[in-house]
PDB file of all heavy atoms in Angstrom:
ATOM      1  N   TYR A 117       0.227   8.376   8.781  1.00 89.00           N
ATOM      2  CA  TYR A 117       0.429   6.996   9.252  1.00 89.00           C
ATOM      3  C   TYR A 117      -0.922   6.264   9.542  1.00 89.00           C
ATOM      4  O   TYR A 117      -1.442   6.318  10.630  1.00 89.00           O
ATOM      5  CB  TYR A 117       1.416   7.023  10.480  1.00 89.00           C
ATOM      6  CG  TYR A 117       2.672   7.624  10.059  1.00 89.00           C
ATOM      7  CD1 TYR A 117       3.093   8.879  10.459  1.00 89.00           C
ATOM      8  CD2 TYR A 117       3.503   6.898   9.210  1.00 89.00           C
ATOM      9  CE1 TYR A 117       4.313   9.420  10.024  1.00 89.00           C
ATOM     10  CE2 TYR A 117       4.748   7.394   8.790  1.00 89.00           C
ATOM     11  CZ  TYR A 117       5.143   8.667   9.181  1.00 89.00           C
ATOM     12  OH  TYR A 117       6.298   9.207   8.791  1.00 89.00           O
TER      13      TYR A 117
ATOM     14  N   SER B  46       9.544  -3.412  16.726  1.00 98.00           N
ATOM     15  CA  SER B  46       8.159  -3.234  17.122  1.00 98.00           C
ATOM     16  C   SER B  46       7.451  -2.104  16.412  1.00 98.00           C
ATOM     17  O   SER B  46       8.074  -1.034  16.129  1.00 98.00           O
ATOM     18  CB  SER B  46       8.110  -2.959  18.630  1.00 98.00           C
ATOM     19  OG  SER B  46       6.829  -2.653  19.065  1.00 98.00           O
ATOM     20  N   VAL B  47       6.213  -2.334  16.052  1.00 98.00           N
ATOM     21  CA  VAL B  47       5.365  -1.308  15.402  1.00 98.00           C
ATOM     22  C   VAL B  47       4.286  -0.875  16.357  1.00 98.00           C
ATOM     23  O   VAL B  47       3.284  -0.250  15.968  1.00 98.00           O
ATOM     24  CB  VAL B  47       4.808  -1.759  14.035  1.00 98.00           C
ATOM     25  CG1 VAL B  47       5.917  -2.102  13.081  1.00 98.00           C
ATOM     26  CG2 VAL B  47       3.926  -2.972  14.253  1.00 98.00           C
ATOM     27  N   LEU B  48       4.463  -1.184  17.661  1.00 98.00           N
ATOM     28  CA  LEU B  48       3.502  -0.739  18.715  1.00 98.00           C
ATOM     29  C   LEU B  48       3.992   0.624  19.184  1.00 98.00           C
ATOM     30  O   LEU B  48       5.094   0.806  19.707  1.00 98.00           O
ATOM     31  CB  LEU B  48       3.501  -1.734  19.807  1.00 98.00           C
ATOM     32  CG  LEU B  48       2.679  -1.367  21.091  1.00 98.00           C
ATOM     33  CD1 LEU B  48       1.259  -1.149  20.726  1.00 98.00           C
ATOM     34  CD2 LEU B  48       2.891  -2.388  22.163  1.00 98.00           C
ATOM     35  N   TYR B  49       3.120   1.593  19.050  1.00 96.00           N
ATOM     36  CA  TYR B  49       3.433   2.972  19.492  1.00 96.00           C
ATOM     37  C   TYR B  49       2.899   3.098  20.925  1.00 96.00           C
ATOM     38  O   TYR B  49       1.682   3.028  21.199  1.00 96.00           O
ATOM     39  CB  TYR B  49       2.735   3.969  18.565  1.00 96.00           C
ATOM     40  CG  TYR B  49       3.195   5.397  18.697  1.00 96.00           C
ATOM     41  CD1 TYR B  49       4.481   5.778  19.079  1.00 96.00           C
ATOM     42  CD2 TYR B  49       2.266   6.484  18.531  1.00 96.00           C
ATOM     43  CE1 TYR B  49       4.873   7.054  19.184  1.00 96.00           C
ATOM     44  CE2 TYR B  49       2.648   7.744  18.712  1.00 96.00           C
ATOM     45  CZ  TYR B  49       3.934   8.063  19.010  1.00 96.00           C
ATOM     46  OH  TYR B  49       4.334   9.409  19.145  1.00 96.00           O
ATOM     47  N   SER B  50       3.832   3.256  21.878  1.00 94.00           N
ATOM     48  CA  SER B  50       3.446   3.182  23.292  1.00 94.00           C
ATOM     49  C   SER B  50       2.522   4.293  23.764  1.00 94.00           C
ATOM     50  O   SER B  50       1.695   4.073  24.626  1.00 94.00           O
ATOM     51  CB  SER B  50       4.781   3.210  24.098  1.00 94.00           C
ATOM     52  OG  SER B  50       5.495   4.381  23.825  1.00 94.00           O
ATOM     53  N   SER B  51       2.591   5.454  23.080  1.00 94.00           N
ATOM     54  CA  SER B  51       1.755   6.583  23.600  1.00 94.00           C
ATOM     55  C   SER B  51       0.269   6.379  23.344  1.00 94.00           C
ATOM     56  O   SER B  51      -0.574   6.929  24.106  1.00 94.00           O
ATOM     57  CB  SER B  51       2.206   7.912  22.908  1.00 94.00           C
ATOM     58  OG  SER B  51       1.925   7.850  21.550  1.00 94.00           O
ATOM     59  N   ASN B  52      -0.088   5.562  22.350  1.00 93.00           N
ATOM     60  CA  ASN B  52      -1.502   5.319  22.114  1.00 93.00           C
ATOM     61  C   ASN B  52      -1.832   3.843  22.126  1.00 93.00           C
ATOM     62  O   ASN B  52      -3.024   3.418  21.897  1.00 93.00           O
ATOM     63  CB  ASN B  52      -1.944   5.971  20.798  1.00 93.00           C
ATOM     64  CG  ASN B  52      -1.203   5.424  19.618  1.00 93.00           C
ATOM     65  OD1 ASN B  52      -0.470   4.439  19.651  1.00 93.00           O
ATOM     66  ND2 ASN B  52      -1.387   6.074  18.426  1.00 93.00           N
ATOM     67  N   ASN B  53      -0.819   2.996  22.366  1.00 95.00           N
ATOM     68  CA  ASN B  53      -1.018   1.543  22.473  1.00 95.00           C
ATOM     69  C   ASN B  53      -1.561   0.968  21.209  1.00 95.00           C
ATOM     70  O   ASN B  53      -2.408  -0.006  21.237  1.00 95.00           O
ATOM     71  CB  ASN B  53      -1.876   1.143  23.676  1.00 95.00           C
ATOM     72  CG  ASN B  53      -1.627  -0.277  24.119  1.00 95.00           C
ATOM     73  OD1 ASN B  53      -0.537  -0.806  24.044  1.00 95.00           O
ATOM     74  ND2 ASN B  53      -2.717  -0.952  24.512  1.00 95.00           N
ATOM     75  N   LYS B  54      -1.250   1.573  20.075  1.00 96.00           N
ATOM     76  CA  LYS B  54      -1.742   1.041  18.793  1.00 96.00           C
ATOM     77  C   LYS B  54      -0.580   0.372  17.979  1.00 96.00           C
ATOM     78  O   LYS B  54       0.543   0.881  17.969  1.00 96.00           O
ATOM     79  CB  LYS B  54      -2.303   2.160  17.910  1.00 96.00           C
ATOM     80  CG  LYS B  54      -3.696   2.605  18.444  1.00 96.00           C
ATOM     81  CD  LYS B  54      -4.243   3.709  17.525  1.00 96.00           C
ATOM     82  CE  LYS B  54      -5.669   4.084  17.883  1.00 96.00           C
ATOM     83  NZ  LYS B  54      -6.292   5.050  16.948  1.00 96.00           N
ATOM     84  N   ASN B  55      -0.905  -0.675  17.316  1.00 98.00           N
ATOM     85  CA  ASN B  55       0.047  -1.389  16.410  1.00 98.00           C
ATOM     86  C   ASN B  55      -0.196  -0.833  15.009  1.00 98.00           C
ATOM     87  O   ASN B  55      -1.300  -0.900  14.464  1.00 98.00           O
ATOM     88  CB  ASN B  55      -0.179  -2.878  16.420  1.00 98.00           C
ATOM     89  CG  ASN B  55       0.354  -3.536  17.682  1.00 98.00           C
ATOM     90  OD1 ASN B  55       1.520  -3.683  17.906  1.00 98.00           O
ATOM     91  ND2 ASN B  55      -0.615  -3.809  18.603  1.00 98.00           N
ATOM     92  N   TYR B  56       0.855  -0.254  14.425  1.00 97.00           N
ATOM     93  CA  TYR B  56       0.769   0.431  13.118  1.00 97.00           C
ATOM     94  C   TYR B  56       0.948  -0.598  11.993  1.00 97.00           C
ATOM     95  O   TYR B  56       1.938  -0.676  11.298  1.00 97.00           O
ATOM     96  CB  TYR B  56       1.773   1.527  13.037  1.00 97.00           C
ATOM     97  CG  TYR B  56       1.354   2.793  13.801  1.00 97.00           C
ATOM     98  CD1 TYR B  56       0.996   2.719  15.169  1.00 97.00           C
ATOM     99  CD2 TYR B  56       1.334   4.031  13.206  1.00 97.00           C
ATOM    100  CE1 TYR B  56       0.577   3.806  15.869  1.00 97.00           C
ATOM    101  CE2 TYR B  56       0.929   5.202  13.864  1.00 97.00           C
ATOM    102  CZ  TYR B  56       0.520   5.064  15.204  1.00 97.00           C
ATOM    103  OH  TYR B  56       0.138   6.144  15.900  1.00 97.00           O
ATOM    104  N   LEU B  57      -0.082  -1.489  11.842  1.00 98.00           N
ATOM    105  CA  LEU B  57      -0.012  -2.628  11.036  1.00 98.00           C
ATOM    106  C   LEU B  57      -1.325  -2.832  10.224  1.00 98.00           C
ATOM    107  O   LEU B  57      -2.382  -2.801  10.872  1.00 98.00           O
ATOM    108  CB  LEU B  57       0.317  -3.909  11.859  1.00 98.00           C
ATOM    109  CG  LEU B  57       0.707  -5.246  11.231  1.00 98.00           C
ATOM    110  CD1 LEU B  57      -0.423  -5.965  10.613  1.00 98.00           C
ATOM    111  CD2 LEU B  57       1.862  -5.092  10.203  1.00 98.00           C
ATOM    112  N   TRP B  74      -4.721  -1.036  12.196  1.00 97.00           N
ATOM    113  CA  TRP B  74      -4.401  -1.117  13.641  1.00 97.00           C
ATOM    114  C   TRP B  74      -4.313  -2.561  14.072  1.00 97.00           C
ATOM    115  O   TRP B  74      -4.741  -2.887  15.215  1.00 97.00           O
ATOM    116  CB  TRP B  74      -5.391  -0.360  14.501  1.00 97.00           C
ATOM    117  CG  TRP B  74      -5.493   1.151  14.154  1.00 97.00           C
ATOM    118  CD1 TRP B  74      -6.669   1.837  14.024  1.00 97.00           C
ATOM    119  CD2 TRP B  74      -4.459   2.064  13.997  1.00 97.00           C
ATOM    120  NE1 TRP B  74      -6.414   3.136  13.736  1.00 97.00           N
ATOM    121  CE2 TRP B  74      -5.047   3.327  13.720  1.00 97.00           C
ATOM    122  CE3 TRP B  74      -3.043   1.958  14.061  1.00 97.00           C
ATOM    123  CZ2 TRP B  74      -4.325   4.465  13.481  1.00 97.00           C
ATOM    124  CZ3 TRP B  74      -2.320   3.152  13.829  1.00 97.00           C
ATOM    125  CH2 TRP B  74      -2.924   4.365  13.511  1.00 97.00           C
ATOM    126  N   SER B  91       0.690  -8.299  18.301  1.00 98.00           N
ATOM    127  CA  SER B  91       1.190  -7.033  18.800  1.00 98.00           C
ATOM    128  C   SER B  91       2.710  -6.998  18.762  1.00 98.00           C
ATOM    129  O   SER B  91       3.363  -8.018  18.896  1.00 98.00           O
ATOM    130  CB  SER B  91       0.691  -6.814  20.205  1.00 98.00           C
ATOM    131  OG  SER B  91       1.034  -5.529  20.729  1.00 98.00           O
ATOM    132  N   GLY B  92       3.273  -5.773  18.740  1.00 97.00           N
ATOM    133  CA  GLY B  92       4.673  -5.631  18.794  1.00 97.00           C
ATOM    134  C   GLY B  92       5.377  -5.973  17.490  1.00 97.00           C
ATOM    135  O   GLY B  92       5.497  -5.102  16.605  1.00 97.00           O
ATOM    136  N   PHE B  95       2.378 -10.799  14.001  1.00 98.00           N
ATOM    137  CA  PHE B  95       0.969 -10.545  13.654  1.00 98.00           C
ATOM    138  C   PHE B  95       0.477 -11.696  12.805  1.00 98.00           C
ATOM    139  O   PHE B  95       1.208 -12.414  12.119  1.00 98.00           O
ATOM    140  CB  PHE B  95       0.862  -9.249  12.836  1.00 98.00           C
ATOM    141  CG  PHE B  95       1.386  -8.037  13.683  1.00 98.00           C
ATOM    142  CD1 PHE B  95       2.703  -7.638  13.580  1.00 98.00           C
ATOM    143  CD2 PHE B  95       0.505  -7.392  14.540  1.00 98.00           C
ATOM    144  CE1 PHE B  95       3.136  -6.559  14.327  1.00 98.00           C
ATOM    145  CE2 PHE B  95       0.908  -6.314  15.270  1.00 98.00           C
ATOM    146  CZ  PHE B  95       2.241  -5.918  15.201  1.00 98.00           C
ATOM    147  N   TYR B 115       3.101   0.909   9.099  1.00 97.00           N
ATOM    148  CA  TYR B 115       3.082   2.382   8.869  1.00 97.00           C
ATOM    149  C   TYR B 115       3.574   3.106  10.066  1.00 97.00           C
ATOM    150  O   TYR B 115       3.142   4.264  10.351  1.00 97.00           O
ATOM    151  CB  TYR B 115       1.683   2.872   8.342  1.00 97.00           C
ATOM    152  CG  TYR B 115       0.480   2.384   9.096  1.00 97.00           C
ATOM    153  CD1 TYR B 115      -0.049   3.075  10.172  1.00 97.00           C
ATOM    154  CD2 TYR B 115      -0.107   1.186   8.688  1.00 97.00           C
ATOM    155  CE1 TYR B 115      -1.176   2.650  10.794  1.00 97.00           C
ATOM    156  CE2 TYR B 115      -1.285   0.750   9.368  1.00 97.00           C
ATOM    157  CZ  TYR B 115      -1.763   1.486  10.449  1.00 97.00           C
ATOM    158  OH  TYR B 115      -2.956   0.979  11.079  1.00 97.00           O
ATOM    159  N   TYR B 116       4.398   2.465  10.860  1.00 96.00           N
ATOM    160  CA  TYR B 116       5.011   3.084  12.031  1.00 96.00           C
ATOM    161  C   TYR B 116       6.089   4.018  11.664  1.00 96.00           C
ATOM    162  O   TYR B 116       6.226   5.118  12.266  1.00 96.00           O
ATOM    163  CB  TYR B 116       5.515   1.933  12.924  1.00 96.00           C
ATOM    164  CG  TYR B 116       6.163   2.355  14.239  1.00 96.00           C
ATOM    165  CD1 TYR B 116       5.396   2.453  15.429  1.00 96.00           C
ATOM    166  CD2 TYR B 116       7.533   2.630  14.299  1.00 96.00           C
ATOM    167  CE1 TYR B 116       5.983   2.835  16.586  1.00 96.00           C
ATOM    168  CE2 TYR B 116       8.095   2.986  15.499  1.00 96.00           C
ATOM    169  CZ  TYR B 116       7.347   3.037  16.623  1.00 96.00           C
ATOM    170  OH  TYR B 116       7.934   3.410  17.794  1.00 96.00           O
TER     171      TYR B 116
END
Side-chain angles (χ1 to χ4, degrees):
Chain A
Y117 298 108
Chain B
S46 176
V47 298
L48 174 62
Y49 192 37
S50 56
S51 67
N52 59 11
N53 202 37
K54 287 184 174 182
N55 287 283
Y56 283 52
L57 190 286
W74 301 132
S91 185
F95 301 91
Y115 46 92
Y116 181 91

